[in-house]
Amino acid sequence: AFKRHVLVAAISGIATAGMALQAHAATEVNLGHTLSSTSHYSVGADAFKETLERLSDGEFTVTEHTSGSLGGEREMIEGLQIGTVDVVITSTGPLGNFVPESYVLDLPFLFENYDQARCVLDSELGDELLEKMGEHDLVGLAWSENGFRHLTNSQREIATPADAEGLRVRTMENAVHQEAFRQMGARPTPMAFPELFTALQQGTVDGQENPITVIVATNFWEVQDYLSLTGHVYSPAIVLGSPILLDGLSDEERGWFMEAAAASAQATREEVSRLEREGVALLEENGMTVKIDIDIAPFQEAVQPAYEIFTSEYGTEMLERVQETA
Ligand code: EAX
């Protein structure tokens, strides 16, 4: 009887110790993005990690997965919905497929400069769009930034829409962007980002468009000779969370995620601004021919039908609200 008593005591002791351990075990948060570990997204991921781990006092640990190792942006968003991915930093490229309200932000030449774009994303309208994510099995944590997109290609210098005629240009998996490039006379080919470098290398496509940040972080000069600073569309980024993880948390815990995402967005914007100042020189040093002074009026005119197609499908209200806020 004595032995049995000791055994029971020992077992319950182990169980208690085990439970105590479990209560303190950190929850690992998987964070994914498509860019390299030198990118502005990675700077944002570092800030997210540092902030969440500090605020939660180690209750959460963040593991960053770079370069699309968790999939392309569309796949990672699906991962959030089913709970295989916890946090994603993504452009709005494929987001409209999930949350059509976000398409308005992808209209070409919608914003004239960074201040305008940031001001809209930081406004009530921006918050409203973040909340919309909740209606589509996603948690919108913060608007971050990718940057103004420019055209690169392997064939020729591009100064007018006519120069882009027939060019096979990879676009994101975004209906608004595809339409804009079709209107410009190019041949848009939607493709996930992780496939892009090889597609450029093998000549499956002639060109692509991305912000200076991405062109720098991906060494696109190795496969693209020409860059035209068209700035044809502002590319927002967003920090998204999985409802599978976040819906199970307390308000305090969710608050830590929001703060971490805000710190991430802030750090990313600073890095975007730095690369806007220093990136072009760096690309030229690496052998790219950069067309800096571009008359954007003919490009604006060429893509105008994309606005009509957008408003006939989604109405004018959202667009007008963005334009009023900007
Ligand atoms: O979000 O797919 C793209 O071109 C994006 O700009 C890139 O994945 C960063």
Side-chain angles (χ1 to χ4, degrees), residues 185-260:
R187 289 158 58 192
T189 307
M191 188 185 292
F193 188 80
E195 293 163 38
L196 178 54
F197 192 91
T198 308
L200 291 168
Q201 200 167 35
Q202 296 180 342
T204 318
V205 288
D206 306 310
Q208 65 89 43
E209 42 87 54
N210 251 304
I212 302 291
T213 50
V214 177
I215 300 170
V216 169
T218 318
N219 297 4
F220 275 145
W221 56 80
E222 290 175 11
V223 286
Q224 298 279 269
D225 291 334
Y226 302 97
L227 165 62
S228 299
L229 297 183
T230 46
H232 51 275
V233 68
Y234 174 77
S235 183
I238 185 169
V239 187
L240 286 168
S242 168
I244 310 276
L245 172 69
L246 284 144
D247 288 356
L249 303 183
S250 69
D251 285 351
E252 189 189 22
E253 290 168 327
R254 277 175 75 105
W256 297 335
F257 276 76
M258 303 288 286
E259 260 191 70

Side-chain angles (χ1 to χ4, degrees), residues 34-35 41 73 90-91 146 149 170 172 193 209-211 214 235:
T34 51
L35 300 178
Y41 284 2
E73 294 186 331
T90 176
S91 73
N146 196 12
R149 301 178 81 89
R170 175 271 179 177
M172 298 197 285
F193 188 80
E209 42 87 54
N210 251 304
V214 177
S235 183

Side-chain angles (χ1 to χ4, degrees), residues 136-192:
H136 303 274
D137 287 330
L138 297 166
V139 182
L141 293 171
W143 285 111
S144 183
E145 188 161 80
N146 196 12
F148 277 92
R149 301 178 81 89
H150 308 290
L151 189 58
T152 72
N153 83 98
S154 58
Q155 303 295 309
R156 54 185 176 263
E157 186 168 281
I158 289 176
T160 67
D163 298 331
E165 186 83 41
L167 202 72
R168 290 168 306 170
V169 178
R170 175 271 179 177
T171 67
M172 298 197 285
E173 298 163 279
N174 181 296
V176 174
H177 286 192
Q178 283 167 58
E179 191 53 46
F181 277 91
R182 208 169 292 126
Q183 298 296 344
M184 229 185 263
R187 289 158 58 192
T189 307
M191 188 185 292

Side-chain angles (χ1 to χ4, degrees), residues 239-289:
V239 187
L240 286 168
S242 168
I244 310 276
L245 172 69
L246 284 144
D247 288 356
L249 303 183
S250 69
D251 285 351
E252 189 189 22
E253 290 168 327
R254 277 175 75 105
W256 297 335
F257 276 76
M258 303 288 286
E259 260 191 70
S264 171
Q266 180 58 34
T268 296
R269 281 181 180 180
E270 280 165 22
E271 183 65 358
V272 170
S273 295
R274 185 183 73 79
L275 282 158
E276 283 294 332
R277 290 190 302 270
E278 300 169 11
V280 170
L282 206 144
L283 294 172
E284 282 175 329
E285 273 164 37
N286 281 288
M288 279 187 121
T289 303

